[in-house]
Amino acid sequence: MKEALRNIAGEENFLDDERLDGYSVDGMRPRCAVFPDTVEKVSEIMKLASKDRLSVIPGGSGTKLHIGNIPKSFDILLSLKKLNKMLYYNPDDLVAACEAGMKVSVFNGEVSENGLWLPIDPPFADLCTLGGVTASDSNGMLRQRYGKVKNMITGMKMVFPDGSIVKTGSRLVKNSAGYNLSRLLAGSYGTLGIITEINIKLEPKYESRKSAVLGFDDLSDFTGFAGKVRESFLIPSYIECVSTSFADAVDNAELKKFRENKYMCLIGFEGFAAAVDWQMEQIKKMGAENNCRRTDYTEETASALSSGIRDFPSLFSGSLIIKTGVPVSEFKGVINKITGVIQDSDVENITLSHFGSGIIYSIIPLGENISEDTIAGLIKRIMDCTDGTDGSTLVERVRLNVKKSISVWGKTDNITIMKKLKEQFDPQNLLSPGRFAGGI
């Protein structure tokens, strides 16, 4: 098997020595790692894996590989980071096509030369690849204004578990012909097929961006303020809320002054300069009318908090991280429930939320004295907070021994349909086996 893979990928794109420790997933080390540099090589690798029934976990830079259940088996780590070229870019079309291993930062650097950009800000934007961001449907603060990354995809090329190469969609901004397989693979975490090329819609870059940091003494003051903004004519690109203890992890003296309060709100606007300036003036008035206790309108402070929010997983690598998603209309009720559950559990909690997209992160630093049963029980109670809503929960990071006893995906609707899709796309269960919802 290894010799065949070495011949396909090439000696320089094959690994089977002690360096494999760096590619382990949940403590499982692959038998080998391959780094194909063409779509055809990805196809040949999957044909071999299908013939020999070898399990494959695809990845890019590896920034999201910690998310998911523990793999049932792990033979091959298939990295797409050498598939990193821009394939097509015409600014007049507002569409670009690239290989899946291209980094988000590099992609935006190239298209920005013509005043365009891909408006996403996922964690580790300097490292993560467009294929990884798409496969995990990873979104950040900008989702509030620009939507999810899967909605920016106009087409893909992908390799299925049997090695067949399939192309979906096109390079048109508007394309409604046929089933939208691109959106099916976006967010499938590499369990249905391997994304190798992506066609992406672009946006004109804003003329001006300004942000503000506001301090509140109570969570209800923040939700009241955010609700007023949402009901107004203002169009914020993001409304974030974090516990002020978050400031301890960010190297900025001005942010630490907000420790006198309990919560910090980061709100930002993008667009034409005059419109941005007018909206910032309205925020100053609305903050004063809604129990805002401290403000900072300097870009340096806002940028420090924005960077911390974007890359927070790196700031709290040893913590339990639970992501809850709810409709914005149910945000207030669910975040209050989660806060109450954690307070009753007598553990420290740092709240980080994307208000405008209904995302709530619970970041819980765990001492060695907290038992695995206690952690598992806390996870269950937080998952229960979405009962009676259209919400969902994902445990993004947790101790390995706890992960063995839970499903990190929580309660999953339509699991029967999902299993049928998996059986059709991957009947041998080769791709990321057991990692997705329902043990798929």
Side-chain angles (χ1 to χ4, degrees):
M1 175 271 285
K2 290 184 178 181
E3 194 59 35
L5 287 171
R6 195 191 310 270
N7 290 335
I8 294 170
E11 183 67 36
E12 69 281 7
N13 297 324
F14 179 84
L15 196 65
D16 68 343
D17 54 29
E18 67 278 357
R19 288 172 291 175
L20 286 174
D21 290 340
Y23 298 94
S24 295
V25 174
D26 291 331
M28 294 183 67
R29 173 175 153 164
R31 294 168 63 187
C32 63
V34 287
F35 307 85
D37 50 16
T38 68
V39 175
E40 290 71 26
K41 288 181 181 179
V42 176
S43 172
E44 290 302 312
I45 290 166
M46 289 312 304
K47 287 177 181 177
L48 176 65
S50 178
K51 180 175 72 73
D52 293 347
R53 300 184 67 90
L54 301 171
S55 54
V56 178
I57 295 181
S61 294
T63 60
K64 295 288 186 299
L65 285 179
H66 62 280
I67 298 176
N69 294 321
I70 296 173
K72 291 180 178 178
S73 61
F74 187 14
D75 294 312
I76 304 169
L77 184 285
L78 196 158
S79 172
L80 298 163
K81 66 182 183 180
K82 291 194 174 182
L83 284 166
N84 55 17
K85 297 188 293 292
M86 183 75 81
L87 300 172
Y88 171 84
Y89 173 44
N90 186 326
D92 294 337
D93 294 337
L94 293 179
V95 172
C98 68
E99 293 180 321
M102 192 172 199
K103 292 180 180 179
V104 173
S105 57
V106 174
F107 178 88
N108 265 332
E110 290 198 24
V111 301
S112 67
E113 295 176 2
N114 300 101
L116 302 175
W117 70 318
L118 174 63
I120 61 174
D121 57 346
F124 310 109
D126 292 337
L127 295 174
C128 64
T129 63
L130 280 160
V133 166
T134 303
S136 59
D137 197 24
S138 181
N139 306 278
M141 300 189 303
L142 294 175
R143 173 181 167 183
Q144 173 173 343
R145 177 164 182 176
Y146 298 99
K148 303 181 77 173
V149 66
K150 67 167 59 180
N151 298 327
M152 304 173 192
I153 306 299
T154 66
M156 286 182 187
K157 182 177 283 185
M158 60 198 80
V159 175
F160 283 139
D162 64 358
S164 57
I165 300 173
V166 177
K167 182 180 178 182
T168 70
S170 71
R171 293 175 180 169
L172 300 175
V173 171
K174 180 67 174 176
N175 176 37
S176 57
Y179 295 114
N180 196 329
L181 287 179
S182 300
R183 290 199 182 184
L184 179 60
L185 262 72
S188 66
Y189 283 82
T191 58
L192 299 178
I194 300 173
I195 300 167
T196 57
E197 295 178 9
I198 308 167
N199 302 331
I200 309 169
K201 292 188 293 184
L202 303 174
E203 294 275 350
K205 190 117 186 230
Y206 51 82
E207 178 183 276
S208 173
R209 170 192 273 182
K210 290 188 177 178
S211 306
V213 183
L214 299 86
F216 295 94
D217 286 341
D218 192 85
L219 189 56
S220 62
D221 291 335
F222 163 74
T223 54
F225 165 77
K228 292 290 185 183
V229 173
R230 189 165 179 260
E231 293 167 1
S232 72
F233 290 106
L234 305 184
I235 308 175
S237 293
Y238 42 85
I239 307 176
E240 307 294 296
C241 177
V242 296
S243 306
T244 53
S245 55
F246 188 89
D248 294 339
V250 180
D251 185 18
N252 182 277
E254 295 302 313
L255 279 179
K256 289 177 172 53
K257 294 178 181 178
F258 283 86
R259 287 293 263 133
E260 298 174 6
N261 312 112
K262 287 188 176 180
Y263 296 94
M264 293 183 291
C265 167
L266 174 67
I267 185 167
F269 299 91
E270 299 167 340
F272 292 111
V276 169
D277 290 343
W278 180 82
Q279 291 182 92
M280 288 294 288
E281 288 300 318
Q282 305 312 304
I283 288 300
K284 292 178 182 179
K285 296 175 184 177
M286 295 176 74
E289 295 168 356
N290 288 275
N291 299 320
C292 173
R293 302 303 183 190
R294 176 183 288 274
T295 58
D296 190 318
Y297 294 95
T298 64
E299 282 304 306
E300 181 181 357
T301 304
S303 179
L305 182 54
S306 174
S307 296
I309 290 172
R310 184 193 67 192
D311 293 335
F312 81 91
S314 65
L315 301 177
F316 303 96
S317 58
S319 299
L320 170 64
I321 299 178
I322 303 176
K323 176 184 178 181
T324 303
V326 294
V328 176
S329 60
E330 296 173 331
F331 178 93
K332 182 177 179 180
V334 172
I335 196 171
N336 283 333
K337 285 182 182 179
I338 292 173
T339 301
V341 164
I342 295 173
Q343 287 176 345
D344 291 344
S345 300
D346 196 28
V347 295
E348 181 185 354
N349 175 49
I350 299 168
T351 297
L352 187 158
S353 61
H354 307 314
F355 173 81
S357 47
I359 301 297
I360 304 163
Y361 283 99
S362 303
I363 307 168
I364 305 169
L366 297 174
E368 292 299 323
N369 59 329
I370 300 179
S371 71
E372 292 161 10
D373 287 344
T374 299
I375 298 169
L378 176 59
I379 290 170
K380 182 183 183 306
R381 290 193 296 277
I382 291 176
M383 287 181 171
D384 289 343
C385 290
T386 59
D387 286 354
T389 74
D390 290 324
S392 61
T393 308
L394 168 63
V395 181
E396 289 202 352
R397 183 169 283 149
V398 67
R399 286 181 191 166
L400 184 57
N401 285 341
V402 177
K403 204 177 205 183
K404 292 176 181 177
S405 65
I406 65 170
S407 171
V408 301
W409 299 96
K411 302 163 188 174
T412 308
D413 294 330
N414 303 318
I415 192 64
T416 301
I417 294 175
M418 292 170 64
K419 287 182 176 179
K420 287 182 178 179
L421 282 169
K422 176 69 170 176
E423 290 168 2
Q424 290 296 314
F425 280 81
D426 185 12
Q428 295 187 85
N429 198 22
L430 303 179
L431 288 176
S432 301
R435 303 215 73 206
F436 204 40
I440 293 174

